[in-house]
């Protein structure tokens, strides 16, 4: 892991950009000498790691006493996308403009993107836990629920997870949800125009966790109330500290 920049922010958080082979990432840590738990914070598939909403969540969480990391996994952010991915995205835009069904188009590129992203995240996790000042346990928090489901199933170091219900979850990950057993916080926007409410509720039912909590709020896809971030940190505190 090679750090390429470092800056101290006005909220007592240190922000460092890094590269790990071809993987670019950002790490936020509190100015603390004591080892802190780690939170992997993903953005929704395809968005860059510099997405303002993700950066705001990461800084807030780091100020609460966590190391927070995000990466641009394969096909995300500024990393190259395959010709098939680009064609699927073009098909998606056309179908949405025409009011046509889009589930099969989502399946065609989000499923493979999850498969490619998981190894990058696990490699990053290995490197982060080798750094001084970062210790387990590990949490996951992010808008890319499909990725989070797969990581929670294959990565035993993840001890708790917070998911947003707004992104499309491929059928394979909906089946895998039954294997997720870590404590879970699931955020649902009740009026999300791109995510059928029944599908989100069925996914929540499918999770195998004995401790799982659903928070539902009125509003559209990007309308998650800010107080949910504070509640999410309290959830992390219960399970990671």
């Amino acid at each position: 892991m090679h750090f390429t920049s470092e800056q101290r922010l006005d909220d007592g958080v240190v922000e460092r950009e890094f590269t790990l082979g071809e993987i670019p990432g950002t790490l936020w840590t509190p100015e603390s000498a004591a080892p802190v738990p780690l939170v992997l914070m993903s953005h929704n598939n395809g968005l860059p790691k510099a997405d303002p909403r993700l950066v705001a969540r990461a800084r807030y969480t780091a100020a609460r006493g966590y190391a927070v990391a995000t990466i641009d996994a394969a096909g995300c952010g500024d990393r190259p996308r395959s010709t098939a991915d680009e064609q699927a995205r073009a098909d998606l835009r056309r179908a949405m403009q025409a009011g046509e069904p889009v589930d099969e188009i989502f399946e065609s590129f989000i499923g493979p993107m999850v498969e490619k992203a998981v190894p990058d995240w696990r490699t990053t996790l290995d490197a982060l836990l080798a750094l001084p000042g970062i210790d387990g346990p590990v949490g996951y928090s992010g808008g890319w629920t499909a990725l989070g489901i797969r990581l929670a199933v294959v990565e035993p170091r993840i001890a708790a997870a917070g998911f947003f219900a707004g992104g499309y979850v491929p059928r394979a990950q909906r089946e895998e949800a039954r294997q997720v057993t870590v404590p879970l916080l699931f955020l649902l926007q009740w009026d999300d125009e791109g995510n059928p409410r029944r599908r989100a509720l069925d996914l929540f039912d499918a999770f195998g966790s004995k401790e799982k909590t659903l928070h539902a709020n009125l509003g559209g896809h990007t309308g998650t109330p800010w107080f949910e971030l504070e509640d999410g940190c309290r959830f992390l505190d219960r399970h990671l500290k």
Side-chain angles (χ1 to χ4, degrees):
M1 178 173 283
H2 175 62
F3 288 100
T4 58
S5 69
E6 178 177 318
Q7 59 175 327
R8 281 168 170 75
L9 307 175
D10 56 13
D11 48 8
V13 170
V14 178
E15 179 183 271
R16 288 180 283 176
E17 299 290 328
F18 66 83
T19 58
L20 183 60
E22 297 180 352
I23 306 168
T26 308
L27 174 65
W28 296 266
T29 52
E31 292 182 319
S32 169
V36 293
L38 173 63
V39 176
L40 306 179
M41 190 169 284
S42 76
H43 44 74
N44 204 2
N45 42 75
L47 292 177
K49 62 185 178 62
D51 178 73
R53 288 179 295 165
L54 180 142
V55 172
R57 285 169 38 225
R59 289 181 58 172
Y60 182 92
T61 305
R64 289 281 297 258
Y66 293 93
V68 182
T70 191
I71 64 170
D72 279 343
C76 298
D78 294 328
R79 292 185 66 182
R81 295 173 181 168
S82 69
T83 302
D85 285 346
E86 293 291 9
Q87 182 60 55
R89 290 175 187 277
D91 292 343
L92 177 64
R93 289 190 293 269
R94 179 197 56 75
M96 293 180 70
Q97 291 170 356
E100 297 172 358
V102 296
D103 282 9
E104 293 307 316
I105 301 175
F106 274 127
E107 288 282 341
S108 71
F109 73 94
I110 293 181
M113 191 179 290
V114 170
E115 297 293 339
K116 291 184 289 187
V118 167
D120 283 357
W121 276 95
R122 298 188 78 180
T123 297
T124 303
L125 177 57
D126 290 340
L128 290 168
L129 290 178
L131 294 174
I134 298 179
D135 201 354
V138 179
Y140 177 91
S141 175
W144 195 355
T145 296
L147 171 67
I149 290 171
R150 171 59 61 83
L151 282 174
V153 170
V154 303
E155 182 47 71
R157 290 171 291 186
I158 292 179
F163 296 148
F164 291 80
Y168 182 84
V169 177
R171 288 185 286 269
Q173 276 70 62
R174 280 180 250 163
E175 286 298 317
E176 285 183 317
R178 305 179 192 283
Q179 302 175 50
V180 174
T181 58
V182 297
L184 180 68
L185 177 62
F186 195 56
L187 302 183
L188 169 63
Q189 286 301 105
W190 203 243
D191 308 300
D192 191 332
E193 57 277 10
N195 185 41
R197 187 185 305 162
R198 183 70 262 167
R199 179 184 293 170
L201 294 174
D202 287 345
L203 179 61
F204 179 74
D205 281 341
F207 286 119
S209 304
K210 292 182 179 179
E211 179 181 337
K212 56 182 179 179
T213 301
L214 172 68
H215 285 186
N217 291 283
L218 297 177
H221 184 73
T222 61
T224 304
W226 183 254
F227 63 73
E228 288 291 1
L229 181 55
E230 183 178 356
D231 286 348
C233 284
R234 285 198 291 265
F235 167 79
L236 294 173
D237 290 346
R238 289 196 300 273
H239 300 290
L240 303 185
K241 289 187 175 180

